[in-house]
Amino acid sequence: MAKSIEETRTPITKQLMAGRGQGKRVNRASLAWWREARFGMFIHWGLFSLPAGRWKGHEVPGIGEWIMHRERIPVRDYEKLARRFVPSRFDAESWVLLAKEAGMRYLVITAKHHEGFAMFKSSVDAFNIVDATPWKRDPMAELAAACQRHGIRLCFYYSQDQDWHDPNGAWNDWDFDESRKDFAEYLHRKVEPQLRELLTQYGPIGLIWFDTPYTMTKEHSAELRRLVRRIQPDCLVSGRIGHDLGDYGSLGDNQIPVGRIRGEYETPASMNDTWGFKSGDHHWKSVPTLLRLLVDLASKGINYLLNVGPTAKGDIPRPSVERLRALGAWMAANGEAIYGSSASPFPYELPWGRITQKPGRLYLHFFDWPRGEVRIHGLRNRVRAAYLLRDRGHRITVVQRHDDALDLSVLTLSGFGSRPDRYVSVVVLEIAGAARVDPMPVQQPDGTVSLPAFMATMRGPTTKGFTISAAGFTDEWKSTAMGLRWTAKVLEPGSFAVSVLSSGDAEYRVEGKKDPHRLRLSIGGPASVTLRFPLLMHDRLENPRSRYFPEIVTHAGAALLPRPGTYTFKLNAETISGRVPEGIGISSVLLTPVSAKGRSVSRHSS
Ligand code: FHN
């Protein structure tokens, strides 16, 4: 049997899982509310909330809702949890109001997770919250009513593939013989009728959040999609319906792409390291981290679906409530810069923060509030006015010039005054016309030159699957005939430390060391430099992006770029290691001026 994703933490970026949200059958008109919302609440609640990460007196590693799988708990034992599931403190009104207060516009709750337990009244299967618990209430009905009252879109998570309770559902091989499973039978007997219940018992549903489509054939996914459409034509389906049949793409859990992304995407994200409640998980992300993730994702055109894992009693843990309230306070003042916004016109991250946009406006989200002036390279529009979002009377001074030699527009902003918000402060730029930026990487005012893989021209036999993943990494780079090429503008010449960021974790330190990939970076233009280096792990990237998807830093050497000008950078593989079978997963090449303090890549931290 395949290893669980929970065990492997495999990035779920492949087409089968994610979907691109660009398929022909995409429900574009119905996507309007979802694009406008940008921020939603994920709720993982089920029988797994009761053991809360502990079984037979010991702490079970991994994410809380996987306890049954992790411990291989027999169905007959797991079922007994239902007899003790009495969420007497559950209050649909307060959950919905919390989502609203946080500035979230939709709520996606686990109607059935992989454990197979329906958290709604189901006449299809008695293993449901009304029939199998002494509580006997249907929380979905109560949530539906509260969502209607408060203008929040109700959406259901439904595990269509994995069902560890059902003899024919996927991935319980400790009670049921895998070789005798009839998946289609389960799909027709349980999944489809339960989806019908979800789509007819609770009024309009915003979307069905399908998940882990590992066993599904394309026809299975298409069947489910048709069923949803037939009953509620405006209901969306998530990318994890499988086979690229979603209305939008789903990135991996907690996955943060390197830069702007094409197509419609959402990142499901946890607030600590679990989805379902675990009494022992106190690894809460801080308010600034969560807030900057929201802004970061919006700046890349991605919805943020932030999770809470209520207890079996029905309480949303206090640390989650506090964080959501803090996010809500920020959204109340700055929501204009998030709701209905589009991705930054700059495809890459900027050193001081992020940008979102609406027609005629750019919203500059400062993570570090400037003391003096800030320069922005490459914005080609005339700026008509600049001011603080929180205080439109506070004008920011704007100076624009054009560097003719480099054909580069330089915008200088000053007069920021004191920081309006503690963690992220927004400046509005009113611009003439649709935003236009220099299409190539440009040296940043802090002297760094970042060359993201997704901005490179790809060289080589792309037919062999060589591509850039949605998250911004080279994928299927398994031949020396393949490579990347950039052209970038350098304003301030000098000596640079060159590093390469690529995917890899602790295992890489061992395997990659024995027989590393060997790369060559050739720099041309006003300079001619060649660096040859093994792709070793010298450092780890430490930032929110790498918390769940580790990235390694390889110091490739030093390069002198003697004059301002346009340089070319060619990255090729000289040898590809057989020890790292997934090939080379580059996210970017980074040049840091050596005069700058240290040569870390910490500017990526946020
Ligand atoms: O296996 C599930 C997991 O339990 C959780 O529900 C996440 C949320 O995105 N989805 C699956 C793993 O990707």
Side-chain angles (χ1 to χ4, degrees), residues 366-387:
F366 285 94
F367 296 174
D368 304 315
W369 189 240
R371 291 222 182 83
E373 57 177 44
V374 164
R375 264 187 294 140
I376 297 177
H377 293 161
L379 179 66
R380 291 183 169 167
N381 304 70
R382 189 168 62 77
V383 176
R384 291 182 162 143
Y387 47 84

Side-chain angles (χ1 to χ4, degrees), residues 108-311:
V108 184
I109 181 161
T110 47
K112 185 195 82 159
H113 202 268
H114 309 331
E115 63 180 3
F117 187 66
M119 294 290 284
F120 58 99
K121 166 72 186 149
S122 173
S123 48
V124 175
D125 189 319
F127 193 46
N128 73 73
I129 193 163
V130 177
D131 295 321
T133 74
W135 194 53
K136 302 210 170 304
R137 272 162 58 184
D138 181 346
M140 300 304 157
E142 295 175 33
L143 282 167
C147 282
Q148 293 275 359
R149 275 195 298 278
H150 299 294
I152 298 286
R153 296 256 178 181
L154 177 66
C155 310
F156 291 129
Y157 172 107
Y158 188 91
S159 177
Q160 81 280 24
D161 193 328
Q162 295 192 67
D163 189 315
W164 307 325
H165 183 262
D166 196 283
N168 285 326
W171 284 35
N172 178 342
D173 64 353
W174 57 96
D175 285 300
F176 311 116
D177 180 351
E178 289 283 302
S179 65
R180 297 169 68 111
K181 284 188 178 175
D182 179 351
F183 183 75
E185 192 278 335
Y186 150 75
L187 213 60
H188 296 135
R189 172 182 40 79
K190 183 167 181 182
V191 176
E192 294 185 353
Q194 284 203 331
L195 283 171
R196 232 170 263 132
E197 291 178 331
L198 287 171
L199 291 162
T200 52
Q201 290 174 182
Y202 305 102
I205 301 304
L207 62 90
I208 303 284
W209 216 96
F210 291 109
D211 204 0
T212 64
Y214 297 138
T215 316
M216 318 269 301
T217 62
K218 186 160 186 186
E219 192 38 45
H220 291 149
S221 300
E223 232 174 81
L224 292 192
R225 186 187 160 86
R226 280 197 297 271
L227 180 139
V228 174
R229 267 301 171 284
R230 224 174 16 246
I231 304 175
Q232 290 209 22
D234 288 331
C235 181
L236 303 170
V237 295
S238 75
R240 297 190 189 185
I241 193 170
H243 300 282
D244 203 12
L245 288 175
D247 289 305
Y248 64 88
S250 179
L251 287 157
D253 296 348
N254 288 303
Q255 191 168 38
I256 305 160
V258 177
R260 192 177 68 195
I261 198 164
R262 278 210 192 91
E264 313 289 349
Y265 277 92
E266 173 182 68
T267 288
S270 55
M271 227 185 265
N272 47 0
D273 290 332
T274 182
W275 303 89
F277 178 65
K278 270 192 99 172
S279 54
D281 184 337
H282 305 294
H283 304 143
W284 300 100
K285 285 154 203 156
S286 67
V287 171
T289 297
L290 296 169
L291 184 52
R292 288 168 187 177
L293 281 175
L294 166 65
V295 170
D296 184 22
L297 290 169
S299 80
K300 292 166 181 167
I302 301 163
N303 277 19
Y304 187 37
L305 185 62
L306 181 57
N307 185 68
V308 297
T311 66

Side-chain angles (χ1 to χ4, degrees), residues 414-449:
S414 60
F416 288 91
S418 49
R419 187 177 61 181
D421 272 281
R422 195 158 163 209
Y423 303 122
V424 179
S425 301
V426 183
V427 167
V428 184
L429 297 190
E430 288 187 3
I431 55 171
R436 283 175 302 119
V437 305
D438 212 299
M440 67 175 77
V442 173
Q443 186 177 29
Q444 292 302 308
D446 67 358
T448 55
V449 183

